[in-house]
Amino acid sequence: MKLTGKQYWRSLDQLAQSPRFLEWLHREFPAGASEWTSGSSRRQMLKLMAASFGLAGLTACRRPEERILPASSASEEMAPGVPLYYATIFTLGGVATGLLVESHDGRPTKIEGNPNHPSSLGGTSPYAQASVLSLYDPARSQRVLRNGRASSWEEFEKFAAEHFDPQRIGYGRGLRFLSESYNSPSLDAIREHILRRFPQAQWAEHDPLAQEQAAAGARLAFKDNLIPVYQFENADVVVSLDADFLGMDAPTMAAIRQFAKRRQLLEPGGAMNRLYAIESRHTMTGAAADHRLRLAPGAIRLFAETLARELGLAIPSSGAEPTLSEQARKWAAVLARDLNRNRGRALVLAGPRQPAEVHALTHWINQTLEAAGRTVVYRKPPASPPSITLAQLAGQMAAGQVETLVILGGNPAFTAPADLDFPALFGKVNHTIRLGLEEDETSAACRWHLPQAHFLESWGDGRALDGTASIQQPLIQPLFGGRTASELLALISGYKDRRGYDIVRNYWFSRWPAAQAEKIWRKALHDGVIPDTRFPEAKPSVDVTSVTTALRSAPPPAPARSDRLEAAFFPGWACWDGRFANNGWLQEAPEPMTRLTWDNAALLSPATAAELGLRDGDVVEIASSAGRAQMPVLVQPGHADHCISLSVGYGRNRCGPVGRNVGFDAYRLRSAQSPWIAGGITLRKTGARHKLALTQDHHSMEGRAIVLEAALAEWRQNPGLFQAAGHHTHESLALYKERTYETGYQWAMSIDLNACVGCGACVLACQAENNIPIVGKQQVLRGREMHWIRVDRYFEGPPEAPRAVTQPVNCMQCEDAPCENVCPVAATTHSPEGLNDMVYNRCVGTRYCSNNCPYKVRRFNFLNFHKDLSETGKMVFNPDVTVRMRGVMEKCTYCVQRIEEKRIQANREGRRAIRDGEIVTACQQACPAEAIVFGNMNDPASRVAQLRNSSRRYQLLAELNTKPRTTYLARVRNLNPELG
Amino acid sequence: MAQQVMDASAVLDAPLVMGKPSLAEVTSSVSGIVERKPPRAWYIAITVSGAFTLVLAAMLGYLVTTGVGVWGNNQPVGWAWDITNFVFWIGIGHAGTLISAILFLLRQRWRTSINRAAEAMTLFAVMCAGIYPLFHVGRPWRAYWLLPLPNADLGMWPNFKSPLLWDVFAVSTYATVSALFWYVGMIPDLATLRDRAKDKIRRFAYGLLSLGWRGSARHWRHYEMAYLLLAGLSTPLVVSVHSIVSFDFAVAVIPGWHTTIFPPYFVAGAIFSGFAMVVTLMVLARKVYRLEHLITLRHLDNMAKVMLATGMIVGYAYAVEFFTAFFSGNPFERFVFLNRATGPYAWAVWTMVFCNVVVPQIFWFQRARTSIPVLFVASILINVGMWFERFVIIVTSLHRDFLPSSWGYFRPTAVDVLTFMGSIGLFLTLFLLFVRFLPMIAMFEVKSMLASSHPHREAEK
C-alpha cells in the first residue's frame, strides 16, 4: 500500500474543510481548534495529529485521487460504516454490463447490477459477483518482471521510450499488438493513434470465446456487420438452436429478465411464451424450455435446414437429410407451424457453436417470420479499425516477421487453438511485452510482464451489446501498482494523455459540446450510462443467394458415431476462458446442470457412456485433430448421443494456488479451423479414475412433491392444482395456541420457479454479501460446502430425454421451525418479524438444528475455513456481517443486515414505514430473472403479498407444518399439444 | 476350569455359590484379587488399554484444536460416530443399574456375584459416554452453556424444549446416582479390605473410603435403608435415561427418527447390549481370577436368558418399525426403510439384523447358554450389532431424508475410529483399575447367600 505524502495531504485537505471534521476537532482539541483558520498552522497541527488520524482510520483511505461519483448520494462524502454505491462497468466477452458497486470505507465489497444499464436491468452474472474477490486476490500480479526478474514501471518506461521510437521500430513493421476482446471507444481512439504513429503495425484480437461464427453469419446474411439484439419480451415463441441464451451463451443478463417476464404468470388466464430448445448438452436453456430436443451439435444444422424448408424457404438439399431422426423431422414440422402461427412474435436464434451458415439461416428464417424490429433489432456498430486474426499473427510469428509483440490482457499462450502451437512461437519474437492480471502462461513466455489493473481499479469505458456506452470508474486505487491497457498503449505511443482518467475524460469531452461536457460527464458517472450512444437501428434484408451459396459450399458434417464422436466446446463454468481459475468463489460454485465443483469433465449421454463402458470419474484420453487431452467423464442425463461437451479454461498450470492444476485443459483439443464443434473425436479409457466433487449426488425427486410442475393447460383447467398437490396436507392439529403474525412487518420471500434459470448468481451474491467461506475440493467431497442458498437441479422423466427443473433453496424461515425447538442453548430463536435468527455467539455447535432441518439449509463450520487470510483477502469482507468462527452454525438470514440498515434509515428519516422494494436481499438483487422477491407479507400492496396470492404458490414440504416464509411459484410449461 | 454343560433342571437347581465355601473362603477369594499382585494378563491388558486411552486423549486434543471436521461428519450427516458411540456407551451402562437396582427390588439373589462389577461397568460406560456430548460440539469450551446456571448477563435459561438439554439432566442424574449407588454399596467390602490391609497406604486409603464402617447392627440398618432408597431411585432411571436419550431422535422430524417406539425400543436395546457387555467382561474375569465358583454357569445362564428376551424385543421393534413405515403410507418413512435394507448402508443394516436378531436365538438352547465360548462370541457379536443399530438409526436416517438434493454419504475418518477405540481403551483401563484396587464381587452380599448364613432356610435357591 503505497501512500505518498502528496496523497496524504490532499485527502486530509479535503476532509479538513468538511463540517464533520471541524465538529470532531472542536470536540477533541478545543484549544487547537481556534488556530484552524490559518493555513500553515493547520499543516503543522495535521503533522502532529498524524497518529490520531491513523487511529481514526483515515490513512486507510484508498479512494482514487480523481473524483469518482457515487450513484447513491449527491456528495462524495464518506461516512465510516455507511456504504456508497458507484456505477461502473464489467466487460466480459467484449460486452459491457453496468454495475453498481458497494464501497465500504473506500474499498469495494459487493457488486450489484445497474438497473439503468441495458445489459443488466439490475441483475448480475456469477462472474460479475465473483469479480470483487479477484480484485483482492494476492496471487494477482503485483510486480513488473523483466526476463523473469523483478523490475519496475520506471525501467519499463525507460525501455519503452527507447524502443518505441517510430523510426527505430521501422514505423511498426515488426510491431504487433494482440489484445483480448474489448469494446472501449477510448481504447479504440488510442489504437487509431497507434496505427497512425506506427503505420506498419498490425493489431490482432483473440478471444477464445468470441462469437466469431455468429458475426460471420450476420455478415453472410446481411453483407454488413450487424449485431442482432434480441427482444425476448416481445417473443411468444422462441426456438433456440444450440443457443444457451439463458446460461453460458447469454448475450446479456438482461436477456434472462426479458425472457422470464413472459413466463411469470400469476393467474392461469395470462399469456405465456414458449421455448423450444434444440441442443446437445443439457443447458440452463434446455432446463427452462417447454420442449427440448437433443441433437449432436453437427446435426443441428440439418435440423435448421429442415425447419427452414418447412417454413417455405428454398434450402438446397445436401443429401444428408435422411440422417436426421424421425423425431427431429417431426419437430421441425411442428415448430414451423407454431412459428408461422406467431409471425411477428416469434424468434429463432443460433448459438456461438453453430457455424456461420446456420446463423445466416436463422436470420433468413427470422426475416420470414417478420421478426425484425419486433423480436430482434439489428444494430449497426461503427466500423472497427483493421485487424488480423490470431492465425495470421501466428503465421507471421512463425515466419520471423514479428519483432515486437505487445499482448494486452487475455492469456493467448493458454487459450490459443492447439494446432497453432502458439506458446512455441514466442521464442521467435525478440521483444514480448505482456500486460496481464496474473503471472500466467503467457507471462512465462514473455520478456516483459506488466501488472494490469483490475476493472475495479481502472478508468475506462465500454459498450453494451446494443452500443450503449458507459464510463468505467475505479473504486479503489490500484492495489498492486497495475495499469490499464489504455495507459500502457498511451505510454508506448506517446499519446497526449497518460493517465487513464485523462484518457477517458478527454476522449468523451471531445465528443460533447464544451458547455455541457462537465454536466454530462458527472451524470454519466452517476447513472452509469452515457445517453444517446446506442448504435443506430438497421433494417436490413437477407441476401438469400449468399446464404444458399454458403450452405451449398459447406456440406454438413458426417453424423457422429461411437468411434467418431463430435465434441462441442463451452466456456468453463468457473473460469470462463480461464481467467477466473484462481477465483475460489467461482470454483466452488457448482455448475448449474452437473453440480460439479473444482473440476471440469467431458460430458456425455448415459447411452454413449454405456456403449463405451464408461462411468462417472473414469479418466479418458480424448483425441482431436488438434491434439490430445486427458479428462474424466461425467454422465449427463439428456445429453445427445455420440458427442461430448468440453469446458475450456481449466487445467491451468501457471496460476495462483487456488486454481493451479484444477480441472483439465480442453484447449489442447481445439483447432483454429473448428474451434467450437470438432468431429472425428476418439475416446480411450486410461483406466485411471478421478474423484469429482459434486454438491448434489442425487438427481431425481423420487416421486416427491418438491418442484411442482404442470402443463399450462392443466393449470388452466384446474387452478387449485398446486395447492392440492403434494402429500396429505391437513389442517393443523397444534397442541398449543398458534401464533398469528398479523401486526408489524412480517418478512417473506417468494421464488418463481418459472423465472429461475439456475444461473447461480444468487449463490455468489450471497457468498459475497455474507462473508461465506470457500472450503476447497476435499471438503466439498466430504459434503461441507457452505453456501447459504443453493440451486437444486432435478431431472424428471425418461433418462435419455429428461426434463430438468431448478429450485433455489435458502432458509425457509419457518414459522414453526424444527430447528428452534432442539437447540439446547437457544442459539436459534424466532424474531417478532418472522425471521429465524441465528445467534452465532451463543451457538456451541451441537448440530441438532441442522439434523432437524428438513430443508437442510443450515451450514456448519466444521473447520476454521477462514484460516490463512491474506491482508488483501480480508478486504473483501462485508463489514456489516459477522465472520463466523469454527464450530458455529450459520444459515441464510434474509439478509438481516440489509433489513436493519433500511430500518435505521427509515427511523432516521422520521419513523416512516419501510417501503416495499427498499429492502432487497442479496440473492434477490443479483437474480437476473427477478425470480426472488422479498418483502413484507402484511402489506397487501407489496409484491411479495401479491405473489403469495397466486394460484401457482405452494410451500415446500408443506405437510411437515413448518409453515415456511419462503414459498415457491410452481413451474408451468407451455406445452405444444402436437409434441405431447 | 472345565466347560460344564448342564441340563435345564440342573442349572435351575444349581447352587449360586459352588463348592460350599465358608465365609472366610469367600472373603479371601475376592479380597485376594486386590491384595495379590495382579496376574500377567492384567499387566498386558492395561498396557494395551492404557495406550488406547492415550490415543483417545490425543484424538480429543486434535479435535478441540482443529474442529469437528477431523471426523467424517458432514451435511446432512451432522451426527455420526460421535452420537452413535454416545448412545452405545450409555446403553451399555443400563445393565449394571438393572442388575443392581431392579433385580435387587425383585429379590433376584443371583445378582449378588455380578452386581458390583456390573455397576462399575455402568459408571465407566457413562464416563465414556459423557465424552461425546462434551466433545462433539463445535465449541467444547462453551459446553457449560448447556447447564442451567443462573446468568444475569444473559438473562435467560437454556432451552428446556430441547432433548439435548434433557440429556444433560438425565445423564448427569444417572452418573450421580450410579456413582452413589455403587460407592455406598461397596462400603462394607471396602471396610473388609481395610481390616485385612497389611500396609499403611492401603489401610489409610480403604479406611478413608469405607467411612468408618464398623459393621454394627446400626450401620447395617442404615446401610440397608440407604441401599433400598438408592435402588428405588435407580430403578426408574433404567427406563427414563435411555428413553430420554431416545428422545434425541424421536422428537426430531426426520423420518426414521420420528417414531414413538423409540423409548421402549432403546431401553430394551440398552439392557440387551449392557448384559452382553457384562457377560463379555465376566467370562474373562472369572477365568483369569478363578472366580468360577462365585460367578457360576447359573449366573451366565440367567444373563443369557435376559439377552434372549431383550433381543427378541429389539427384533420385534425392527419388525414393527418396518411394518409401521409401510402401513403409514408416508412415502418418506417408507423410503427410509427401503433405503436401509437396500441402499448404500445395507451392509450395516444386515450386520445389525444378524447380530441382534439371529445370534441371540442360539440362547434358546441351554447348551449354548452355559457354553463359555458361545457366550463370549455371542456377547461380542451382540455388542457389535448394537453399535450398528445406533449407527443405522443415526446415519441412514440422516443421509437421505426429505429433499434428495441434500442426500449425502458419510464415511468415517481415522480420527473417528481411533477416538472410538480410545474410548474402549478408557473403559477397559478404568475397569482394569477397578478390578485391581476394588472388590469386584459384593462379598458380603454373596456371603449372605451361603447356606451357612441361613441355617433355617434353603437360601441358595
Side-chain angles (χ1 to χ4, degrees):
Chain A
M1 285 222 241
K2 220 178 48 149
L3 277 172
T4 65
K6 197 156 168 259
Q7 285 167 287
Y8 182 67
W9 286 125
R10 201 189 312 179
S11 63
L12 282 177
D13 238 4
Q14 282 174 343
L15 283 159
Q17 307 302 336
S18 72
R20 193 177 56 85
F21 179 86
L22 290 171
E23 185 204 61
W24 173 84
L25 185 68
H26 277 270
R27 215 171 48 238
E28 297 290 316
F29 300 94
S34 53
E35 287 184 84
W36 200 246
T37 46
S38 145
S40 56
S41 61
R42 182 162 72 220
R43 292 206 205 313
Q44 218 25 42
M45 186 172 304
L46 287 173
K47 263 196 198 151
L48 291 169
M49 295 198 294
S52 37
F53 276 82
L55 289 170
L58 297 173
T59 50
C61 175
R62 286 191 60 82
R63 283 187 54 194
E65 295 177 25
E66 308 87 5
R67 211 175 232 180
I68 54 174
L69 236 63
S72 60
S73 79
S75 84
E76 313 98 77
E77 207 178 281
M78 208 175 57
V82 177
L84 293 173
Y85 290 82
Y86 294 87
T88 184
I89 51 166
F90 168 67
T91 305
L92 191 64
V95 174
T97 305
L99 304 177
L100 286 179
V101 184
E102 182 182 20
S103 176
H104 273 104
D105 296 333
R107 62 178 203 284
T109 53
K110 180 74 170 70
I111 289 183
E112 308 294 356
N114 185 348
N116 291 336
H117 195 275
S119 293
S120 160
L121 299 183
T124 43
S125 66
Y127 304 108
Q129 286 293 332
S131 57
V132 69
L133 184 68
S134 290
L135 168 68
Y136 296 114
D137 185 358
R140 255 178 72 201
S141 172
Q142 299 194 23
R143 51 190 185 160
V144 175
L145 290 175
R146 182 180 196 173
N147 291 323
R149 279 200 305 277
S151 178
S152 66
W153 276 106
E154 285 76 40
E155 272 211 42
F156 178 76
E157 282 169 22
K158 249 196 319 218
F159 163 82
E162 221 189 282
H163 185 83
F164 286 96
D165 174 70
Q167 202 176 29
R168 196 180 161 288
I169 207 170
Y171 295 96
R173 197 178 50 237
L175 175 60
R176 302 285 179 270
F177 293 88
L178 175 61
S179 93
E180 56 178 345
S181 62
Y182 69 92
N183 203 345
S184 159
S186 59
L187 185 57
D188 268 341
I190 303 183
R191 175 171 165 179
E192 274 160 21
H193 168 83
I194 282 195
L195 293 175
R196 280 195 300 273
R197 190 168 165 85
F198 307 109
Q200 310 271 351
Q202 291 181 354
W203 186 286
E205 237 177 78
H206 168 62
D207 179 344
L209 300 174
Q211 303 200 358
E212 281 160 355
Q213 284 161 196
R219 279 196 296 275
L220 202 57
F222 301 116
K223 296 280 177 261
D224 201 356
N225 264 326
L226 295 182
I227 299 174
V229 180
Y230 299 113
Q231 312 295 314
F232 291 101
E233 71 274 24
N234 294 338
D236 283 351
V237 178
V238 178
V239 173
S240 154
L241 299 169
D242 198 16
D244 186 14
F245 70 94
L246 296 172
M248 300 302 287
D249 304 329
T252 56
M253 299 322 272
I256 301 176
R257 180 155 302 192
Q258 293 167 348
F259 178 79
K261 247 202 292 217
R262 297 298 314 281
R263 298 181 83 78
Q264 289 173 295
L265 271 64
L266 290 186
E267 292 311 326
M272 189 171 138
N273 61 6
R274 180 178 288 152
L275 171 63
Y276 299 97
I278 296 100
E279 54 183 21
S280 59
R281 171 180 176 168
H282 206 140
T283 65
M284 290 179 252
T285 305
D290 299 297
H291 291 283
R292 180 178 178 269
L293 176 69
R294 57 192 189 111
L295 280 182
I300 292 178
R301 164 162 161 190
L302 281 175
F303 179 84
E305 289 179 352
T306 314
L307 176 65
R309 265 188 221 108
E310 293 281 346
L311 285 168
L313 306 183
I315 309 291
S317 164
S318 57
E321 286 77 26
T323 59
L324 204 59
S325 68
E326 165 94 35
Q327 186 194 22
R329 273 178 267 147
K330 176 175 178 225
W331 259 64
V334 171
L335 263 63
R337 279 196 287 277
D338 205 2
L339 289 168
N340 258 327
R341 273 197 297 269
N342 288 284
R343 278 175 184 252
R345 297 186 318 276
L347 178 61
V348 177
L349 65 155
R353 279 162 294 284
Q354 292 300 312
E357 310 81 77
V358 176
H359 284 272
L361 189 51
T362 59
H363 292 308
W364 188 9
I365 293 174
N366 283 334
Q367 180 173 275
T368 313
L369 297 173
E370 297 160 35
R374 298 191 184 105
T375 57
V376 57
V377 170
Y378 295 99
R379 297 212 175 261
K380 175 136 172 66
S384 42
S387 62
I388 57 173
T389 65
L390 180 68
Q392 288 169 317
L393 175 64
Q396 292 176 4
M397 284 164 78
Q401 293 165 2
V402 179
E403 210 185 84
T404 309
L405 179 62
V406 179
I407 303 177
L408 303 165
N411 189 1
F414 180 67
T415 63
D419 51 359
L420 289 181
D421 201 14
F422 202 67
L425 299 174
F426 281 77
K428 303 204 167 182
V429 180
N430 289 339
H431 301 282
T432 42
I433 298 159
R434 187 262 196 290
L435 178 75
L437 268 176
E438 299 177 88
E439 284 166 30
D440 53 18
E441 292 82 352
T442 306
S443 309
C446 291
R447 283 192 200 250
W448 282 96
H449 166 89
L450 306 166
Q452 188 176 19
H454 191 269
F455 81 89
L456 289 168
E457 301 168 328
S458 310
W459 281 101
D461 50 24
R463 289 189 184 275
L465 192 65
D466 67 357
T468 308
S470 308
I471 308 293
Q472 180 182 67
Q473 57 175 340
L475 272 89
I476 192 168
Q477 292 173 41
L479 287 170
F480 304 128
R483 295 193 193 179
T484 64
S486 303
E487 286 171 337
L488 175 63
L489 290 175
L491 169 71
I492 289 175
S493 64
Y495 193 68
K496 57 180 165 69
D497 300 308
R498 287 303 172 89
R499 285 177 12 184
Y501 176 68
D502 296 324
I503 292 171
V504 176
R505 188 180 153 99
N506 291 340
Y507 171 82
W508 285 101
F509 269 55
S510 70
R511 282 184 163 45
W512 298 323
Q516 278 108 46
E518 183 67 38
K519 212 157 154 230
I520 301 175
W521 171 258
R522 291 173 70 94
K523 190 152 185 352
L525 287 184
H526 179 272
D527 292 346
V529 285
I530 303 173
D532 305 321
T533 46
R534 219 163 45 167
F535 296 143
E537 186 177 341
K539 304 252 193 243
S541 59
V542 173
D543 182 344
V544 172
T545 328
S546 160
V547 179
T548 48
T549 312
L551 286 171
R552 226 179 266 117
S553 56
R561 293 193 321 231
S562 56
D563 60 339
R564 200 181 57 213
L565 303 166
E566 264 177 22
F569 291 86
F570 290 81
W573 161 252
C575 13
W576 187 248
D577 58 356
R579 65 185 58 205
F580 296 119
N582 208 47
N583 188 317
W585 287 356
L586 283 171
Q587 289 281 14
E588 195 154 292
E591 195 277 329
M593 296 306 288
T594 57
R595 317 303 292 147
L596 183 59
T597 65
W598 294 100
D599 249 320
N600 62 333
L603 304 181
L604 65 171
S605 72
T608 307
E611 224 181 299
L612 298 172
L614 293 170
R615 287 182 301 152
D616 286 349
D618 280 342
V619 177
V620 293
E621 189 184 74
I622 305 173
S624 79
S625 62
R628 294 171 183 278
Q630 286 198 357
M631 113 170 38
V633 301
L634 184 59
V635 173
Q636 195 195 38
H639 201 280
D641 292 330
H642 300 140
C643 56
I644 57 175
S645 296
L646 300 171
S647 300
V648 299
Y650 289 87
R652 287 193 49 194
N653 47 46
R654 284 215 88 213
C655 178
V658 173
R660 197 176 305 140
N661 295 325
V662 168
F664 302 83
D665 185 5
Y667 281 119
R668 294 204 202 142
L669 299 166
R670 236 177 162 208
S671 71
Q673 268 144 328
S674 46
W676 288 101
I677 299 176
I681 303 282
T682 54
L683 283 186
R684 182 182 68 81
K685 273 168 97 158
T686 61
R689 300 226 358 114
H690 181 81
K691 278 211 184 105
L692 292 171
L694 299 165
T695 57
Q696 183 181 343
D697 291 320
H698 204 85
H699 312 296
S700 158
M701 284 191 268
E702 300 287 326
R704 302 176 182 192
I706 297 171
V707 174
L708 298 188
E709 198 195 353
L712 180 61
E714 265 184 84
W715 181 39
R716 281 192 176 139
Q717 245 183 355
N718 179 8
L721 171 68
F722 298 115
Q723 276 74 50
H727 312 284
H728 186 48
T729 50
H730 54 79
E731 318 133 33
S732 168
L733 300 167
L735 279 175
Y736 305 104
K737 180 157 178 281
E738 291 202 311
R739 188 170 169 178
T740 54
Y741 294 92
E742 278 145 12
T743 56
Y745 300 109
Q746 294 300 332
W747 307 116
M749 183 181 274
S750 166
I751 300 180
D752 190 344
L753 298 178
N754 246 19
C756 171
V757 297
C759 71
C762 53
V763 176
L764 266 82
C766 178
Q767 184 148 34
E769 172 76 12
N770 293 298
N771 304 335
I772 297 174
I774 54 166
V775 301
K777 179 172 174 178
Q778 286 310 308
Q779 294 298 310
V780 175
L781 279 170
R782 280 229 174 256
R784 294 175 182 164
E785 63 277 4
M786 295 299 285
H787 299 124
W788 290 3
I789 185 169
R790 62 177 192 264
V791 183
D792 292 339
R793 183 271 300 117
Y794 297 105
F795 288 114
E796 292 297 290
E800 327 78 57
R803 296 184 310 278
V805 289
T806 56
Q807 182 181 41
V809 179
N810 58 344
C811 175
M812 301 278 140
Q813 316 284 349
C814 308
E815 288 177 5
D816 271 339
C819 58
E820 289 173 6
N821 290 331
V822 296
C823 175
V825 291
T828 183
T829 55
H830 216 74
S831 87
E833 292 180 348
L835 256 52
N836 174 277
D837 292 329
M838 186 64 218
V839 184
Y840 307 123
N841 47 358
R842 177 71 173 163
C843 176
V844 291
T846 62
R847 302 183 295 289
Y848 200 169
C849 57
S850 164
N851 289 339
N852 213 25
C853 173
Y855 307 100
K856 290 289 178 279
V857 290
R858 287 173 159 273
R859 299 283 174 241
F860 186 67
N861 285 279
F862 280 98
L863 297 167
N864 181 2
F865 294 128
H866 291 289
K867 240 174 19 167
D868 305 326
L869 282 173
S870 63
E871 277 308 304
T872 50
K874 290 178 194 162
M875 290 166 79
V876 80
F877 284 137
N878 180 355
D880 295 332
V881 176
T882 318
V883 175
R884 285 74 58 190
M885 77 170 285
R886 144 173 90 92
V888 158
M889 189 67 76
E890 58 185 57
K891 68 168 184 75
C892 162
T893 60
Y894 271 2
C895 280
V896 65
Q897 67 279 5
R898 293 185 176 203
I899 297 173
E900 292 309 312
E901 185 194 340
K902 293 299 175 212
R903 194 201 310 280
I904 292 169
Q905 191 179 338
N907 284 344
R908 268 217 303 261
E909 291 170 13
R911 306 221 148 257
R912 60 160 178 84
I914 303 176
R915 293 180 287 264
D916 183 45
E918 260 197 278
I919 303 174
V920 183
T921 59
C923 49
Q924 175 183 9
Q925 194 165 13
C927 178
E930 275 187 316
I932 301 178
V933 177
F934 170 86
N936 176 10
M937 69 181 201
N938 271 358
D939 172 6
S942 72
R943 180 113 182 94
V944 78
Q946 285 164 15
L947 291 171
R948 285 166 71 89
N949 282 332
S950 162
S951 63
R952 269 199 299 142
R953 172 194 180 247
Y954 74 99
Q955 296 176 333
L956 184 59
L957 298 176
E959 60 271 27
L960 295 180
N961 257 323
T962 51
K963 307 200 194 69
R965 282 287 174 92
T966 300
T967 54
Y968 291 92
L969 297 181
R971 182 82 194 262
V972 167
R973 287 193 207 251
N974 186 1
L975 298 179
N976 184 333
E978 292 185 61
L979 281 177
Chain B
M1 174 223 77
Q3 180 176 313
Q4 284 178 279
V5 178
M6 305 155 105
D7 60 67
S9 57
V11 170
L12 281 178
D13 293 334
L16 285 169
V17 180
M18 306 289 285
K20 292 199 184 7
S22 66
L23 295 170
E25 276 164 356
V26 172
T27 308
S28 64
S29 297
V30 180
S31 312
I33 298 169
V34 175
E35 289 156 2
R36 282 192 303 271
K37 244 175 79 95
R40 207 154 60 117
W42 188 91
Y43 283 105
I44 298 173
I46 203 165
T47 308
V48 174
S49 68
F52 275 103
T53 310
L54 288 174
V55 166
L56 174 68
M59 292 297 107
L60 291 178
Y62 181 45
L63 174 74
V64 172
T65 52
T66 311
V68 177
V70 304
W71 288 341
N73 302 35
N74 62 11
Q75 173 71 273
V77 186
W79 289 344
W81 280 47
D82 46 353
I83 303 301
T84 303
N85 296 343
F86 164 62
V87 182
F88 174 72
W89 283 120
I90 289 272
I92 283 178
H94 277 54
T97 322
L98 188 141
I99 293 172
S100 292
I102 296 185
L103 293 183
F104 174 74
L105 294 178
L106 296 178
R107 300 185 201 283
Q108 296 298 304
R109 289 193 215 98
W110 60 272
R111 63 181 268 288
T112 52
S113 57
I114 53 171
N115 70 329
R116 176 73 49 70
E119 190 63 39
M121 183 204 77
T122 292
L123 202 58
F124 305 143
V126 172
M127 284 195 226
C128 288
I131 291 171
Y132 285 101
L134 185 60
F135 284 93
H136 91 292
V137 296
R139 302 203 289 172
W141 52 92
R142 299 255 188 259
Y144 68 91
W145 282 351
L146 273 83
L147 299 173
L149 305 168
N151 186 335
D153 287 334
L154 202 57
M156 58 178 260
W157 299 107
N159 179 18
F160 294 112
K161 286 197 270 184
S162 167
L164 292 187
L165 206 73
W166 307 338
D167 271 351
V168 169
F169 293 121
V171 176
S172 49
T173 310
Y174 192 44
T176 316
V177 173
S178 292
L180 274 176
F181 195 32
W182 178 68
Y183 174 56
V184 166
M186 249 196 303
I187 290 176
D189 281 344
L190 289 169
T192 306
L193 288 171
R194 170 200 62 197
D195 294 338
R196 284 166 59 107
K198 294 277 161 41
D199 66 87
K200 255 189 171 163
I201 304 169
R202 278 178 183 260
R203 215 182 4 234
F204 178 71
Y206 289 124
L208 197 62
L209 286 173
S210 50
L211 299 180
W213 176 267
R214 283 192 318 275
S216 71
R218 171 176 283 179
H219 279 188
W220 276 111
R221 209 165 53 111
H222 287 154
Y223 174 86
E224 296 290 344
M225 183 57 69
Y227 199 77
L228 184 66
L229 286 174
L230 284 166
L233 211 54
S234 299
T235 298
L237 287 180
V238 174
V239 174
S240 69
V241 170
H242 224 63
S243 298
I244 293 195
V245 169
S246 79
F247 287 157
D248 286 349
F249 313 110
V251 162
V253 303
I254 304 299
W257 280 11
H258 188 70
T259 164
T260 53
I261 201 174
F262 270 17
Y265 163 34
F266 269 54
V267 172
I271 298 168
F272 185 36
S273 69
F275 268 81
M277 184 62 92
V278 172
V279 166
T280 310
L281 292 174
M282 292 297 100
V283 157
L284 286 170
R286 72 197 279 275
K287 167 116 205 277
V288 172
Y289 291 107
R290 290 184 243 273
L291 295 170
E292 295 93 336
H293 59 296
L294 295 175
I295 304 172
T296 67
L297 286 173
R298 184 168 156 192
H299 293 91
L300 295 174
D301 177 73
N302 286 338
M303 290 198 275
K305 286 178 188 166
V306 173
M307 285 199 281
L308 176 61
T310 49
M312 300 280 285
I313 297 176
V314 166
Y316 168 75
Y318 293 163
V320 163
E321 266 197 304
F322 194 78
F323 170 75
T324 312
F326 275 85
F327 189 66
S328 72
N330 180 334
F332 303 115
E333 288 287 340
R334 284 183 174 183
F335 177 78
V336 162
F337 285 90
L338 207 59
N339 184 49
R340 282 186 187 176
T342 59
Y345 287 108
W347 55 275
V349 175
W350 292 109
T351 306
M352 167 187 97
V353 169
F354 171 72
C355 293
N356 292 348
V357 179
V358 173
V359 164
Q361 300 305 314
I362 203 167
F363 291 141
W364 283 109
F365 304 103
Q366 200 253 312
R367 279 180 84 131
R369 291 199 300 272
T370 50
S371 152
I372 298 300
V374 171
L375 282 165
F376 187 66
V377 171
S379 63
I380 289 182
L381 283 178
I382 287 169
N383 263 325
V384 166
M386 284 311 293
W387 187 91
F388 271 105
E389 180 189 287
R390 279 57 171 264
F391 177 80
V392 162
I393 289 174
I394 294 173
V395 175
T396 65
S397 309
L398 284 176
H399 96 114
R400 287 186 174 178
D401 66 336
F402 294 98
L403 300 182
S405 60
S406 305
W407 288 1
Y409 193 72
F410 163 80
R411 244 176 232 100
T413 60
V415 182
D416 275 306
V417 177
L418 287 174
T419 310
F420 181 48
M421 288 170 63
S423 70
I424 299 177
L426 175 65
F427 176 75
L428 290 174
T429 304
L430 290 170
F431 192 78
L432 286 167
L433 289 174
F434 158 72
V435 160
R436 172 74 182 92
F437 291 112
L438 296 171
M440 65 177 275
I441 292 183
M443 292 183 274
F444 71 91
E445 290 196 356
V446 168
K447 283 186 260 186
S448 73
M449 305 265 310
L450 297 176
S452 44
S453 313
H454 300 273
H456 302 294
R457 261 197 299 150
E458 295 168 54
E460 282 158 46
K461 289 285 184 316

